[in-house]
Amino acid sequence: MEAAKTDFAAQGVEWAERAPRTVTTLLVGKLLCDGTDEQPCRLRNLSASGMLIETQRPLGYGNWVAVELRCGQRLQGTVAWSSTGRAGVQFAELIDVDQVLAVARGATAARVVAPRAPRFAVKLVARLVNDGHPIEVTVENISQSGARVSLGEQRELEPSVTLTIPGLQPRRCTVRWSKDQTAGLAFMDMVPYHELTALLGLGVGQQV
């Protein structure tokens, strides 16, 4: 039984490599699948007809999936093959690879601000150090590049703060916005993909 599965995965890799104009990329996205919570994934290869993704979620042949990239772009299709940690997805319709990558990487001429990384809804108690004073906050969503936190009450925040989330290294942040009891923070150093995946793998991720 295992041998058959391995052969099927090998056929899938061959299918991915055969796809015309395949582009190798390491874009991080949000994996959406019927009946499951959202999870981070990594887009390794992209062609007009399909994509190769890395994910810790087991995917079955024929499953419908979507991967949400920056700015809310969605690539969707059905699972053509899967093996441990990887899956090949065949699109229902051909896509324009150059356009998708341009938007995902913030390279379109119409945009000045880089697109926002995919966010994941969480509910985590964390510590925010503001002007030398620690504050207990609740992280409401997180991405590789930032987080939204609930402050518990209206507070005046310094332009630069430090956020400590259990499971992650303390991160220096800039306060992008603050309204009522909520603030948006931008990390000065991005959270590595494997750390974000491990954090969300603890079961804290919730579907928006």
Side-chain angles (χ1 to χ4, degrees):
M1 195 74 177
E2 269 307 306
K5 188 182 295 185
T6 302
D7 291 342
F8 185 64
Q11 291 172 9
V13 173
E14 183 183 351
W15 164 80
E17 292 174 347
R18 280 203 312 266
R21 300 189 65 245
T22 299
V23 176
T24 300
T25 176
L26 288 175
L27 294 173
V28 174
K30 181 190 297 186
L31 178 65
L32 307 171
C33 187
D34 285 339
T36 61
D37 291 342
E38 60 192 28
Q39 287 290 317
C41 68
R42 189 152 52 182
L43 181 60
R44 291 203 65 91
N45 290 335
L46 179 67
S47 74
S49 59
M51 58 185 170
L52 171 63
I53 62 174
E54 288 182 348
T55 174
Q56 294 183 349
R57 182 181 300 283
L59 297 174
Y61 173 74
N63 285 166
W64 176 91
V65 297
V67 174
E68 183 177 304
L69 301 176
R70 294 175 180 270
C71 293
Q73 292 185 101
R74 282 195 181 187
L75 303 174
Q76 52 191 20
T78 55
V79 176
W81 62 270
S82 65
S83 62
T84 304
R86 291 192 172 194
V89 178
Q90 187 164 12
F91 300 140
E93 299 179 352
L94 297 179
I95 65 165
D96 184 328
V97 175
D98 292 336
Q99 182 182 34
V100 169
L101 293 179
V103 175
R105 292 169 174 165
T108 50
R111 294 192 63 84
V112 177
V113 180
R116 183 175 58 191
R119 297 176 299 165
F120 299 90
V122 295
K123 190 174 182 182
L124 292 170
V125 176
R127 184 180 65 190
L128 186 74
V129 178
N130 178 50
D131 194 24
H133 302 289
I135 305 167
E136 185 176 289
V137 300
T138 301
V139 181
E140 297 181 334
N141 68 43
I142 188 170
S143 72
Q144 285 188 287
S145 58
R148 185 180 73 202
V149 299
S150 172
L151 304 171
E153 61 182 76
Q154 193 163 350
R155 297 176 183 271
E156 226 21 77
L157 295 180
E158 294 293 307
S160 178
V161 296
T162 299
L163 179 67
T164 302
I165 301 173
L168 296 179
Q169 292 292 320
R171 272 181 162 70
R172 294 287 293 167
C173 313
T174 56
V175 178
R176 299 296 297 272
W177 58 268
S178 180
K179 183 179 180 182
D180 299 329
Q181 300 180 19
T182 309
L185 309 177
F187 300 143
M188 294 185 182
D189 295 307
M190 291 185 68
V191 178
Y193 172 75
H194 68 278
E195 290 187 19
L196 180 62
T197 302
L199 179 71
L200 297 175
L202 296 176
V204 298
Q206 301 172 352
Q207 190 167 359
V208 176

